[in-house]
Amino acid sequence: MLLTLADAAEPTDTLAELHSDAQAVYWLARCPQTGGMQLWQWRADSNETPRCVVEDAVGSRVNQYGGGSYTPLLGGVVWVRQHDQAIMQLDRHAVSHCWQQRPQTAYGGLCADPKRQRVIAVEEDPQGQRLVAITGDNRAGKNSTDNNRQVLAEGADFYGAAVLSDDGNYLAWVSWSLPHMPWQRSQLHLARVTTTGQLEILEHWDFGAAISQPQFGPHNTLICMSDHAGWWQPWQVNLATPVCLSSAPVDHITTPWQLGERQHLWRDNRQVYCQLHQGAAQLYRRCGEQVEALLPAPGRVASITLAKHGDYAIVQSATSGAQLIRYNDNGSRNCLVGKVEGNATGSLVTANSSIAEWLETPVGNEGETVHGFFYSALANRAAPLIVRVHGGPTAAAYPVYDPLVAYWQQQGFHVLDINPRGSGNFGRRYRECLAGQWGISDTNDVIALVNAAGTRFAIDTARCFIRGQSAGGLTALNALAATPLFAAATSLYGVTDALTLAAQTHRFESGYLGWLIGDETQLAQRSPSYHVTRCQRPLRALFIQGGKDAVVVPEQTHAMARHIELHGGEAQTLLFDNEYHGIRHPKARQTMLARELAFYQSSHLTTAPRS
């Protein structure tokens, strides 16, 4: 059975943001018609099937990347309406109310405070961010006023990861300030919540590194992930001396690009947590001294939640798309949501695609390597290669089932997913290899790993292509200009002019480029716009861009396309007027992928053979 273009266009992040209360489990699922995220619920231990409880698009725009866009509260849910960022409540009687709506203001990182019948959220407007509490006040039809809004903390540039103790008496959160990003340096705060709902600051921690995902355990123990020892590991901090609870030299969470992420939880006598080995996550549950691995094979863990009715996780594997799994106390598991692509009688994965192979090669200083995942084409001959560079650049590629990769394999392409130095999931040192080196080391890494792939696999060297999204677009275009190894490149809302980006991009990343590259001269000289003008070969590139993108603005893409054409190359541009930073609508994704496939298939006809 061959995959269709519609299959290939299905994103891998179809499920996200898992929560639970005493009666039910909740999650976001991507609508197949619109690409937006809708809120779903399943009542635990009932005969009901999962149902959509909020059909409007749910999503935060805080920091442009959002996260933490809803929370269960008092038998209902409070959520952020994506199109206008209003805070909405769906009460236990399924009646909707607008709690808060302010012009030019976004909300995210929602945390339920049932004791005070309110939610705690990150609020972002043109003046900055703050931590606020929002209470529903629907008396006499009074909605969306400041009478139900209370500022809890302000003064830092950014806030996130608010979490309340089970007894409602303590609040912990993370803050950071420019020029730092939350994976570089952040602070953890602990406060007592007073009878008036305000905060009485108790302690704060600054380990000179990145602190993320604080959680309260039994007896109000405060546990966070900190990478000051080189890896994101769990630390219990509200002691005389902080104690590391798992000293395994691996990351235990992924890079915190979004608010509200949960990849470790500590409840009663059990702990559920991740560990990332060679870019893949395993999920563990510890009960007393007994530890069990919950995944048949490592893959990706997007979110977890624990409740008396079960432990739940959204996971991906090499043989399945996103799934919502319930893990029972007796060791059994149930797939509540998600399509299993692989099974014992034959599957799309085993019959029509291959599983990832780990690929690694030395680069840079002694002891440094770059690595990725190689997927072989379904052909007994030399095949063309598509190299994929993720965004971030501190995001990561995972060895999980991706219908787009399988589709390309069926079309006769090898695929190489690369994790250049700077990627997440491989420790702080690997991430910080990119300090001052973006535009150099990532380009070198791509070239080195493609050459390594050429020594192990039969690759048609005249038809090597590279694609990158967002930050990966800069790497893809620089690699295209740096070497004749690539016949063409695709930039998906990619960075083309770092100097212009530094002046135009949103506040969250406004200080990041200085750390990645350096001063204005270096920003200009590391950019694809600089390298293209100095390349002696005509270049061929496809640009895919959202018209409403506030991270990489469309003007960058249009300017880069003109650069290539002015220097004798060919530039194709595909603009989606109503898309943001990422192409989400299913029809738009199908159009994008059809155009990209045609671009690769035609490129070898217009590219002269290389010696």
Side-chain angles (χ1 to χ4, degrees):
M1 177 180 175
L2 296 179
L3 297 176
T4 66
L5 189 63
D7 295 326
E10 183 176 331
T12 58
D13 59 343
T14 53
L15 303 175
E17 293 198 32
L18 194 54
H19 281 282
S20 59
D21 59 19
Q23 293 79 36
V25 61
Y26 304 82
W27 65 95
L28 297 182
R30 200 168 294 283
C31 175
Q33 285 75 43
T34 67
M37 299 301 270
Q38 297 174 316
L39 181 57
W40 285 69
Q41 176 200 68
W42 178 70
R43 292 196 173 275
D45 301 318
S46 73
N47 294 323
E48 299 177 14
T49 58
R51 64 190 184 97
C52 180
V53 294
V54 175
E55 293 187 357
D56 287 343
V58 178
S60 165
R61 293 201 189 283
V62 172
N63 300 331
Q64 293 296 318
Y65 300 104
S69 51
Y70 81 95
T71 184
L73 180 69
L74 301 173
V77 290
V78 178
W79 54 283
V80 180
R81 189 165 59 192
Q82 185 177 44
H83 78 271
D84 61 2
Q85 293 296 283
I87 293 186
M88 306 293 296
Q89 182 207 24
L90 185 73
D91 67 22
R92 67 178 66 201
H93 306 295
V95 178
S96 292
H97 311 276
C98 180
W99 275 20
Q100 184 77 6
Q101 185 176 3
R102 293 162 62 90
Q104 296 183 286
T105 302
Y107 292 95
L110 269 58
C111 168
D113 184 356
K115 186 175 181 178
R116 299 163 189 87
Q117 300 183 46
R118 65 182 188 175
V119 296
I120 296 165
V122 177
E123 180 183 83
E124 179 181 66
D125 60 23
Q127 284 68 53
Q129 287 189 5
R130 60 207 64 87
L131 205 60
V132 299
I134 307 291
T135 307
D137 187 355
N138 301 303
R139 296 169 294 179
K142 184 166 67 174
N143 286 338
S144 309
T145 75
D146 276 351
N147 294 331
N148 62 341
R149 171 182 170 272
Q150 187 178 36
V151 176
L152 300 179
E154 55 187 340
D157 288 336
F158 300 95
Y159 292 87
V163 60
L164 199 66
S165 61
D166 287 343
D167 60 14
N169 293 333
Y170 299 94
L171 182 75
W173 70 95
V174 168
S175 71
W176 66 98
S177 292
L178 293 171
H180 299 301
M181 300 297 284
W183 51 85
Q184 294 174 324
R185 185 168 185 175
S186 55
Q187 294 76 43
L188 174 64
H189 306 265
L190 175 66
R192 179 183 292 112
V193 186
T194 68
T195 55
T196 62
Q198 291 284 8
L199 301 184
E200 179 184 297
I201 303 299
L202 296 177
E203 289 188 79
H204 84 280
W205 294 267
D206 184 343
F207 297 137
I211 302 176
S212 191
Q213 295 193 30
Q215 295 290 339
F216 284 99
H219 312 296
N220 290 337
T221 57
L222 181 56
I223 300 159
C224 70
M225 293 291 174
S226 176
D227 70 349
H228 64 276
W231 309 89
W232 270 310
Q233 297 163 320
W235 289 78
Q236 183 176 341
V237 295
N238 54 345
L239 299 167
T241 302
V243 173
C244 185
L245 302 180
S246 174
S247 58
V250 295
D251 281 336
H252 289 63
I253 60 169
T254 56
T255 311
W257 276 94
Q258 291 189 308
L259 303 175
E261 294 176 312
R262 286 186 312 281
Q263 292 162 315
H264 72 112
L265 284 172
W266 311 70
R267 291 286 183 272
D268 301 325
N269 67 334
R270 69 192 193 281
Q271 308 156 15
V272 177
Y273 59 95
C274 296
Q275 288 185 357
L276 289 129
H277 299 266
Q278 286 195 328
Q282 178 55 269
L283 188 63
Y284 297 96
R285 178 166 59 186
R286 177 189 292 272
C287 296
E289 297 301 315
Q290 183 178 356
V291 178
E292 61 177 320
L294 298 179
L295 304 183
R300 186 175 191 176
V301 176
S303 187
I304 63 175
T305 188
L306 308 186
K308 291 188 181 301
H309 46 80
D311 301 338
Y312 301 84
I314 293 173
V315 300
Q316 295 169 264
S317 75
T319 56
S320 71
Q323 298 175 298
L324 170 54
I325 305 293
R326 178 186 182 182
Y327 299 97
N328 305 305
D329 289 340
N330 61 6
S332 65
R333 53 187 299 228
N334 308 99
C335 179
L336 301 178
V337 180
K339 182 171 61 175
V340 180
E341 302 292 352
N343 57 57
T345 60
S347 68
L348 297 177
V349 172
T350 54
N352 295 308
S353 60
S354 64
I355 304 299
E357 297 184 56
W358 175 261
L359 186 63
E360 186 172 14
T361 195
V363 289
N365 299 319
E366 185 177 353
E368 292 182 359
T369 63
V370 63
H371 26 73
F373 303 104
F374 190 90
Y375 301 83
S376 296
L378 306 177
N380 294 318
R381 53 180 170 75
L385 172 68
I386 299 173
V387 180
R388 300 200 305 179
V389 188
H390 62 69
T394 59
Y398 296 80
V400 297
Y401 177 73
D402 184 336
L404 178 56
V405 172
Y407 180 75
W408 280 334
Q409 289 176 283
Q410 292 174 8
Q411 299 296 323
F413 292 87
H414 299 305
V415 180
L416 174 59
D417 278 347
I418 182 172
N419 280 314
R421 284 171 291 174
S423 299
N425 300 346
F426 301 96
R428 186 177 181 91
R429 180 182 176 189
Y430 195 78
R431 224 169 46 246
E432 292 195 329
C433 283
L434 208 56
Q437 295 298 306
W438 194 36
I440 298 175
S441 68
D442 51 316
T443 303
N444 294 338
D445 288 355
V446 165
I447 295 169
L449 202 61
V450 171
N451 285 331
T455 65
R456 282 186 53 183
F457 306 99
I459 294 174
D460 182 347
T461 56
R463 290 190 291 165
C464 287
F465 309 104
I466 185 168
R467 79 188 305 257
Q469 58 189 52
S470 191
L474 177 140
T475 304
L477 293 169
N478 277 348
L480 177 69
T483 172
L485 186 62
F486 299 106
T490 298
S491 171
L492 295 95
Y493 37 93
V495 177
T496 60
D497 186 334
L499 183 59
T500 302
L501 179 67
Q504 293 180 333
T505 195
H506 60 132
R507 182 168 166 269
F508 177 61
E509 295 182 76
S510 59
Y512 194 27
L513 287 169
W515 183 88
L516 285 169
I517 297 178
D519 60 22
E520 291 189 356
T521 299
Q522 292 168 315
L523 288 171
Q525 293 179 352
R526 301 282 182 84
S527 300
S529 55
Y530 177 88
H531 294 292
V532 163
T533 61
R534 285 154 181 77
C535 184
Q536 300 302 307
R537 295 172 287 108
L539 303 178
R540 195 162 189 263
L542 170 64
F543 295 91
I544 297 168
Q545 177 72 44
K548 296 182 177 180
D549 193 340
V551 180
V552 177
V553 295
E555 288 77 10
Q556 274 209 35
T557 291
H558 296 311
M560 187 65 192
R562 289 193 297 271
H563 266 309
I564 289 178
E565 290 177 339
L566 285 172
H567 288 82
E570 177 191 349
Q572 300 179 22
T573 302
L574 183 58
L575 181 70
F576 295 98
D577 291 335
N578 294 317
E579 294 284 352
Y580 292 84
H581 194 62
I583 310 303
R584 291 298 186 187
H585 196 282
K587 290 190 181 299
R589 287 180 61 82
Q590 289 183 48
T591 300
M592 171 185 81
L593 296 178
R595 179 76 167 270
E596 188 177 359
L597 178 62
F599 177 68
Y600 297 145
Q601 290 174 331
S602 65
S603 288
H604 73 286
L605 301 176
T606 58
T607 304
R610 297 188 299 274
S611 58

